[in-house]
Amino acid sequence: MFTSVKAFEGQQYSTLKRQCLQSGLLFEDPRFPATDDSLFYQGNRIGRVVWKRPRELCEDPHLFVDGISAHDLHQGQLGNCWFVAACSSLASRESLWQKVIPDWKEQEWDSEKPDSYAGIFHFRFWRFGEWVDVVIDDRLPTVDNQLVYCHSDDSNEFWSALVEKAYAKVYGCYEALDGGNTADALVDFTGGVSEPVDLLEGQMATDEAARNQLFERVLKVHNRDGLISCSIRATTVEDMEARLDCGLVKGHAYAVTDVRKVRLGHGLLAFFKSEKLHMIRMRNPWGEKEWSGPWSDSSEEWNKVSKSEREKLGVTVQDDGEFWMTFDDFCQYFTDLILCRLINTSYLSIHKTWEEEVMRGSWVHRQDPLRNRSGGCINHKATFLQNPQYVFDVKKVEDEVLICLQQKEKRATPKEGKGENLAIGFDIHRVELNRKYRMHSAQQKVAGSIYINSRCVFLRKELKEGRYVIIPTTFDPGQQGDFLLRVFTDVPSDCKELTLDEPPQTCWTGMCGYPQLVTQVHVLNAEGLQGQDSNGDPYVIITCEGERVRSPVHKDTRCPNFDIKGVFYRKKPKDGIHVEIYNKNVIVDTFLGQVTLFSDPNERQEQHTLHLRDKGSRQDNDLPGTLTVRLITSTTLTNI
């Protein structure tokens, strides 16, 4: 199920369980003891807590009673609705919860083999690029013989309480889960990528076209086993967990448990009727306090739907925290949506397969500008390009690219106290097609993420064919930390870090020479290319000292806007740079003309509009058509 799983804090579940069975003693976790230190980092605020094992709370404990569902979760005395909402989403996906709760049949209590029980459990979470296996004992915090934190409707069902304990162990203590981000928990349960959607910024309540487009995206994520959460933003402290007249709660995370297109009508009329209602189902982690508007549990609107359709939707008339509403009403009231996509990288799948590149890096502050890797965001122009840089290629005419930047968790542990995450983000620059050394001057910025102190920052962007550089940064310069960069494309992107500032000196440098000049060639456009009456499919080849850069083909045009760049480290500055234009044909490509460029080392930047010529011809044998080219030249190799 996992390519590799790392034992959290070095604790091996199978080894520890075997030792307990051999000794006849129930497991007591020394790394997460049954003390107040495992509960709080700011001090006890709930009174005397007694840690009890499930057999001390009921006669017949089980991990699951009648399977696993979102109704198994109730929040308890901790402000971790974000975590419980994520668990509710997880419970609806068997393939996912079996990853988080591995070997669940083997971990279940067996009344026929009581001697096989050792009081030990293990759960798995995806943390900073790898799955970790977290071992816990089964001692749970109680007050007055009742579980303090997450619990199930059934008093003898314990999976939710045990998963919560394992997650609290990862964070250092239970109190560290008080307030958090649902997106983080969704990623920890799946290894997926969370995309936040601001419904206010997207004007989803008023823009019907955008709303319908979003619904299709939400439906696709749901149908492909992604996890979804939502909330209503609280703007003041008083707003937190304030209940609206419609029954919804502000500043509170809800789990999305279903997304459907619901047929209206009854019998054959409903079957042949094309009208379908966009519907979404949510669950309040409190297990109560539901939406009371149209299509709520006891709403008359349900009479518009056949009995069989209601049964398929699982409509119940009870205050269990789960309810349906139209997507229109959803966009009217909710402000934030989190889509956790499961990024499919399996070639055996019938669904879209993504190519994933994973890069690990660090922001490290050093005094030397060429070695500093903590330059801050683009506002700090003097140091911005001193950050880590990663190059990748888009090899299709246009490709949807998903980029996720994750920083190493800096939240609370009992000993270190509560830390704050760094404000992080990234920019994407379109660069020369042959760039292989670090950027030292800003180029064309084509996209950028927001900067926020959350654990993950995500961007989805359509990019044209070409080469790009991602620059992940902290908002302020001089800040240090580790990060994980994930890049998803339709075809392999060959993503890698740019580590060298200029061509390296080798033992052959004295004999073969070393670059004296660096020139960036920017082919802007061409006009009036020769050819037949019909449009052509031109492309450009730039050649300098044996190195060639070829542009993508531009379809059906005689006046292409090439907008491509090449960068050349030149040992022979007096030699020209050749730019050739060809027309793409099935058998043999047609030569359309060329120009030869001679850059002036004393001229930092120059732009030329030149007439195309035959190969080897003189200036007076011009061909129809012109080419516009810009050169940027420097004798200092780390200036471009």
Side-chain angles (χ1 to χ4, degrees), residues 262-276 306 309:
V262 179
R263 291 183 183 276
L264 299 179
H266 298 265
L268 289 175
L269 180 64
F271 184 79
F272 290 108
K273 203 172 182 181
S274 61
E275 184 182 3
K276 291 182 180 179
S306 67
E309 188 80 354

Side-chain angles (χ1 to χ4, degrees), residues 39 87 110 133 155 202 208 215 254 268 270 275 292 300 341 356 369 404 435 484 494 499 501 527 550 564 597 606 638:
L39 296 173
C87 282
D110 189 342
D133 194 76
S155 59
E208 183 179 2
F215 178 81
Y254 289 79
L268 289 175
E275 184 182 3
S292 59
E300 292 183 358
R341 302 163 177 260
E356 179 184 21
C404 179
R435 173 164 287 278
L484 186 77
D494 303 326
T499 56
D501 292 290
E527 292 185 357
R550 174 171 167 163
I564 67 137
L597 307 168
E606 39 187 327
T638 54

